[in-house]
Amino acid sequence: MSGAKLTLFVTGLLLLFAVGISIAWVRDVQSKSLVGTISDEQTQQPVAGATVRITQNQTTHETQSDDAGHYRIGVGDAPLTITVQARGYLTTIGPFTPNDALVKDFLVNVVVRPYVVSGVVKDSATQKPIIYAAISSGDAQTQSSDDGRYTLARAQPSATLRIDASGYYPHEFQWKGESNVDFVLTARTLAIQVSSAQDSKPLRASVLVGGAKYQTDATGRITIKEPETNTKISASLDDYATSEATYTGQAVVDLVLKPSAFHAVVKNAKTSKPVAGALVYVNGVATLTTSDEGKFGLAELTAGTTLKLKAAGFTLGAATIGTESNIEIPMTPFNARGVYLPFGLLANEARVRSMMDLVDRTELNTLVVDVKGDRGKLAFHSDNPIIKSMKTDEVTMDLGKLLQLAHQKKIYVIARIVTFKDDPLTKLHPEWAVHSKSGAVWHDGENLGWANPYLKPVWDYNIAIAKEVAALGFDEIQFDYIRFPSDGDVNSIYFVPPHTPETRAATLRSFLNAVNDALRPYAVFISADIFGMTVWTHDDMGIGQRLEEIAQRVDYVQPMVYPSTFAHDNLGYHNPSLYPYEVIFRSVKSAAQRVNTLVRPWLQGYSSRDVAYGASQFLAQKRGANDAGAAGWVFWNSSGVYDASVFAGN
């Protein structure tokens, strides 16, 4: 394109006016136009739908910028005034004179400044900052950071600002254009009442709400911040049977404790310390959780009743009730030391057996097995109609046989499920896929489709897989690609609004809550793989992953802290790949300081493009994880090839 070049940046009055001219010789000099791009001053991104108005000789013409921010509008030779208006931006005005008769198209690029409001979001009772609060106004959206601060651009004066935060009542405010607005949110509350079944008297009891611990007062009552729907709440007290309820939105949860006929205390077999929060299965039914002192009680003493106990960091505990009314149940500590067994090797039983032998003869004790791989294919056959319709390729090795062989060698087996990256599902059900703005199924950088994380049928499909795998006897279910897409042309994706950091994070929260509810009947552990950088950031990275929110919904969180995935200058290292020990050690420490969930990192078992990795680098990573107090580690190599010397011992 040829013509004059103009850059405008004006609000109310002319603030910036610059013209650069390049001349194009044309035959028809009577037909002239202003052409250019409208862009955001802060992001440099194009602004679509901006109104460009030309006033010339008391005549006004206008047009709108397209999706790429481009516009074109016809003009004459006289001086004119250009006005640009876009929702959420200050009005930009400037003069221009198309005074070169030899120029046909005058290039006028306009930079517009967004309205901006900033402030802090706090808790009304504690005055502490609220992180991850979602602040929105129309299409403008942002979230508060770890200090409660936020900055919202492109809100329109006189519009309503809405603030949402998990566990708080939403708040709305009509914004008049102030540059600073602080918000104070009131927490939603729940009252819990604990009383005796014998005489209805209030009891001072220990209360577990999810993973949080509380103590009732002399009236047997406690008021807490509202938990999420379907959170398990239990109360325990010596000489009483533990009582449990599910929060479903009620204002008060009443827990009535019966005198116990059977008492148990659950302890760490190595240290003899109590194991708090262990989930107790009574005759195969998840019934209650242990108290802070590792105790629980049952209202009846029935010989032959079987008990199974699940707690992160331990192997499953088990006991059978006899005639004793008081018993101690030991639980053996467990840290996974594992390697990844890729989907492609399941068709080669010899290779599978070889990897089991590697685990058996070294310090390793864990295999992570693809049951739903990166290409969406399943490694088992099902009678579930949706799963069966996938028509997955036949695999030579039956998963039941694999589990039998592994468990004979006392190998802990983790089933890896690639969740939302699912090309076969998008082909069978394109209506469940992530779509581009054109309406077509979107594909990532590998030309693979993704299932839409917002859609419940997608959840149901993956949860159905997890339940079948749990029933097969896997020790743990691991969810990978539990996120929104990040690779490929993500700017072309269209999600039905609102698509915000909060809606993305809330979607993953809700999905994991549904996973926990579905898998609760099975004594199986749950883990989630997350991006390595999530242990260093406090936003959702555009993919919905927030360390704290995912961690509190799984037994183990597995950050993929491969040194080669950190960009140059991350963590203060010019090339993080050259610092395998430091990257792992610092990343595990960072995660552990932020969450109570056990951290088990994925380690890099391969060379990067610019750094060759061998035994020295592998050992350095392992040492970094151990020194940081990680709850074990797992090495990733997409081909399933590992150096046995790395696992010779500590």
Side-chain angles (χ1 to χ4, degrees), residues 3 31 144 146 174-175 193 210 219 221 223 337 366 486 492 552 559 622:
S31 177
S144 58
D146 55 349
Q174 188 171 17
W175 184 53
Q193 181 70 52
T219 68
R221 197 175 182 90
T223 300
R337 300 183 298 275
T366 299
S486 67
S492 68
Q552 65 181 273
K622 191 178 75 168

Side-chain angles (χ1 to χ4, degrees), residues 190 192 194 205-216 222 224 227 231-236 242-247 253 255 275-279 288-296:
L190 166 69
I192 300 172
V194 183
S206 296
V207 177
L208 280 176
V209 183
K213 304 166 186 175
Y214 303 94
Q215 185 77 31
T216 58
I222 187 171
I224 64 170
T231 296
K232 304 300 177 183
I233 301 173
S234 65
S236 59
T242 304
S243 178
E244 186 167 277
T246 300
Y247 175 66
V253 169
L255 294 171
V275 178
L279 180 59
L288 51 90
T289 51
T290 59
S291 69
D292 282 355
E293 297 80 27
K295 297 178 179 179
F296 71 92

